[in-house]
Amino acid sequence: MTEEQRFLDLMREHQRIVLRLVGLYANDADERKDLEQEVLLQAWKGFPSFRGEAKFSTWLHRVALNTILTQKRRPRLVERGDALERSAGAVHDPAPAHDDAERLRQAIRQLPETDRALIALHLDGFDNVEVAGILGITA
């Protein structure tokens, strides 16, 4: 099996990690798509450094979070949603979420970045020691 095939197999097996994390940080479908692609690219670039000392899922969480947080901190040339609403004079009235999971995602999106990462990792089943290792903080 080639390294490329091994990487693709691992990413398919663990794609929910990326989708969950991106869903907590992205505000719309376009941003989700952009972040998913950037995480995939950064994971591929970093894959040669994956030595297997940690679980692939732990490594992927770290890569995904670092990538997402880096991208979110970069200034955007155009703020799509805000600029569009201002130019159209639209009043933002978000429809109430009917799904508990969607309401939870919306609530988590309101938290500061570090808190979002902590909650996302705990929701994915990591204990405090693993979370600390992924985020580079103390338990």
Side-chain angles (χ1 to χ4, degrees):
M1 175 183 308
T2 67
E3 281 298 295
E4 182 178 350
Q5 189 58 50
R6 182 172 168 249
F7 173 77
L8 292 173
D9 289 346
L10 286 167
M11 288 303 293
R12 266 188 227 101
E13 182 181 339
H14 296 91
Q15 69 184 354
R16 294 190 67 172
I17 291 169
V18 175
L19 297 176
R20 265 194 305 266
L21 289 173
V22 165
L24 293 176
Y25 287 89
N27 296 317
D28 58 48
D30 288 336
E31 187 178 9
R32 265 193 305 279
K33 227 185 276 186
D34 290 346
L35 285 174
E36 288 169 15
Q37 289 176 349
E38 189 62 29
V39 168
L40 182 64
L41 174 64
Q42 294 306 318
W44 173 245
K45 285 180 175 179
F47 190 63
S49 70
F50 175 64
R51 297 181 303 271
E53 294 169 0
K55 294 186 289 186
F56 182 78
S57 60
T58 301
W59 178 84
L60 183 58
H61 268 92
R62 177 172 279 186
V63 169
L65 278 172
N66 286 339
T67 301
I68 291 166
L69 295 177
T70 298
Q71 291 298 310
K72 294 294 283 181
R73 288 185 185 125
R74 287 189 179 152
R76 289 183 168 240
L77 295 176
V78 176
E79 289 294 330
R80 293 181 289 243
D82 293 344
L84 184 60
E85 284 181 17
R86 278 194 304 271
S87 67
V91 175
H92 182 64
D93 184 19
H98 298 288
D99 179 45
D100 287 341
E102 181 56 31
R103 283 198 307 251
L104 177 61
R105 280 190 291 277
Q106 287 176 357
I108 292 171
R109 277 190 211 112
Q110 302 302 312
L111 297 172
E113 289 176 350
T114 305
D115 294 341
R116 264 187 272 181
L118 286 167
I119 288 176
L121 292 169
H122 277 292
L123 289 174
D124 282 341
F126 289 95
D127 63 31
N128 289 345
V129 174
E130 292 170 315
V131 169
I134 292 169
L135 296 179
I137 58 176
T138 63

